[in-house]
Amino acid sequence: MGNRLTQIATRTGDAGTTGLGDNTRVSKNSLRVHAMGDVDELNSHIGVLLCEDMAPDVRTLLVEIQHQLFNLGGELSIPGFELLKPEAVIALDEALATHNEALPRLQEFILPAGSRAASQAHVCRTVARRAERAVVALGNEEALKDTPRQYLNRLSDLMFVLARVLNRMNGGDDVYWKSERMAKGAAE
C-alpha cells in the first residue's frame, strides 16, 4: 500500500481532489471515493456498536469485521489491488449460519429498534447496503473483483441477524411491525 500518513492536514485536497493509494489523484466526488467513504463510515458505525455490551464472541466477530473493512477500503484505494480475500466472505457465511441458527424464525417484519446495541446494528446494516450499492456502481464503471461486493452483501445480512441477537441479549425481543393489512387479515 501507499505511504503511511505522517501528516493529516496536507491541504492537497483543497481543490476537490484526493490521492489514491497508487498516488493518482481523483475527484472527491468519484464513484471510487464514494465507495471508500461508505466503507469508512460503516467501519466507524461498527466502532460505535462496539461501545455497547455484547457477548464476547460477537465482539470478536465485529473487531475482525473492522479489520476486513479496512482491507476493503485499502483495496478500493488502489485500483486493481486485492486485500480482501474470498475467505473473508466464507467467515461471514459461517457467522451467519451460527447466529441465525439460535434465532426463532421470523413470522413478521421487524423494525430497526429494540436495544441501543440492536438499533446501532441496524444502522450498520443500512450503511453496509449503501456501501454495497456504491461498490456496485463503481464495478459498473471499472473492473472490480467480486469479493468486495459479496462481502458487503453478506455483512448487511449478518448485521440484521446480529441486531436480533443483540435484542435478545438481556431477555429482549425483536420489535415487530404492526401492519394494518396483516392485522385486518388476522381479524377475518
Side-chain angles (χ1 to χ4, degrees), residues 77-97:
S77 77
I78 305 173
F81 198 66
E82 179 185 27
L83 280 172
L84 185 67
K85 305 295 184 198
E87 294 80 21
V89 177
I90 294 168
L92 292 184
D93 281 333
E94 292 169 353
L96 267 165

Side-chain angles (χ1 to χ4, degrees), residues 146-161:
D146 292 335
T147 305
R149 184 186 66 254
Q150 293 167 349
Y151 189 83
L152 291 167
N153 180 273
R154 220 65 101 253
L155 180 55
S156 63
D157 292 341
L158 178 61
M159 295 312 299
F160 178 85
V161 169

Side-chain angles (χ1 to χ4, degrees), residues 4-163:
R4 301 223 182 251
L5 293 176
T6 57
Q7 181 180 341
I8 300 303
T10 62
R11 294 173 179 73
T12 57
D14 287 353
T17 64
T18 191
L20 297 179
D22 64 358
N23 294 320
T24 60
R25 296 205 64 80
V26 297
S27 169
K28 288 185 177 186
N29 195 35
S30 73
L31 292 175
R32 184 170 295 277
V33 174
H34 278 284
M36 290 166 39
D38 289 344
V39 168
D40 186 33
E41 181 181 349
L42 172 58
N43 209 341
S44 296
H45 278 294
I46 291 173
V48 173
L49 176 56
L50 283 164
C51 294
E52 300 295 330
D53 289 332
M54 62 188 67
D57 65 320
V58 174
R59 181 172 304 285
T60 299
L61 174 62
L62 290 173
V63 169
E64 175 59 24
I65 288 167
Q66 280 198 303
H67 286 278
Q68 294 301 338
L69 287 173
F70 211 82
N71 285 340
L72 174 52
E75 183 169 324
L76 290 170
S77 77
I78 305 173
F81 198 66
E82 179 185 27
L83 280 172
L84 185 67
K85 305 295 184 198
E87 294 80 21
V89 177
I90 294 168
L92 292 184
D93 281 333
E94 292 169 353
L96 267 165
T98 298
H99 290 287
N100 214 14
E101 185 178 333
L103 293 170
R105 287 182 56 103
L106 280 174
Q107 302 297 321
E108 305 275 344
F109 287 105
I110 63 171
L111 297 177
S115 71
R116 189 167 63 181
S119 297
Q120 182 62 30
H122 279 295
V123 170
C124 294
R125 171 186 59 80
T126 62
V127 176
R129 286 288 184 213
R130 180 168 20 99
E132 179 187 8
R133 290 189 303 271
V135 167
V136 167
L138 176 60
N140 288 339
E141 300 296 321
E142 300 180 33
L144 288 180
K145 300 199 180 316
D146 292 335
T147 305
R149 184 186 66 254
Q150 293 167 349
Y151 189 83
L152 291 167
N153 180 273
R154 220 65 101 253
L155 180 55
S156 63
D157 292 341
L158 178 61
M159 295 312 299
F160 178 85
V161 169
L162 290 180

